[in-house]
Amino acid sequence: MSETEGRFEQGRWVVDPAPAPEEEPAPEAEPAPDAPTVEERVQGASESVRKAVNDVVNAGQHLFGTPEGHEHIQQAARKTGEDLERAISAWADSARRALKRQQGNP
């Protein structure tokens, strides 16, 4: 016989269901931190882009064995990163203008 919890019923071993886990009381609600500003979000996105570009450049250093390969991946990654950062900045400027319009500021 196995070591499972159970009992005999009408000559057969019946496994008892596992006890339901006890629910822990919900923790006290903490006040939500202030929502990040547009500038904080843009800065975070830009940092993320720079990190991604650096990661790609570093990976390219290990994956491509020739100096030409290294140079190619570095140039492509940096150009893509610059393009993405420009797009993020343009989006942020557009968002700022839209917020000012909503608030009634020209």
Side-chain angles (χ1 to χ4, degrees):
M1 181 171 14
S2 68
E3 295 182 21
T4 58
E5 296 289 322
R7 63 193 178 288
F8 278 105
E9 280 187 14
Q10 298 179 356
R12 295 182 49 196
W13 182 256
V14 177
V15 177
D16 288 336
E22 293 182 26
E23 291 186 28
E24 294 182 20
E28 293 293 322
E30 295 180 17
D34 292 333
T37 65
V38 171
E39 282 76 20
E40 290 170 335
R41 288 181 186 241
V42 169
Q43 181 180 1
S46 292
E47 289 173 5
S48 180
V49 168
R50 282 190 290 276
K51 181 182 181 324
V53 168
N54 287 333
D55 289 348
V56 170
V57 168
N58 290 335
Q61 296 274 331
H62 296 288
L63 296 176
F64 298 103
T66 65
E68 294 83 14
H70 295 167
E71 184 66 27
H72 175 74
I73 194 71
Q74 286 175 0
Q75 287 178 357
R78 287 197 173 102
K79 181 182 181 323
T80 301
E82 290 167 2
D83 292 346
L84 188 52
E85 284 195 57
R86 274 194 294 277
I88 290 169
S89 292
W91 168 83
D93 289 341
S94 175
R96 282 187 208 101
R97 286 192 301 273
L99 284 173
K100 285 182 181 180
R101 280 192 303 270
Q102 287 178 353
Q103 294 172 350
N105 297 333

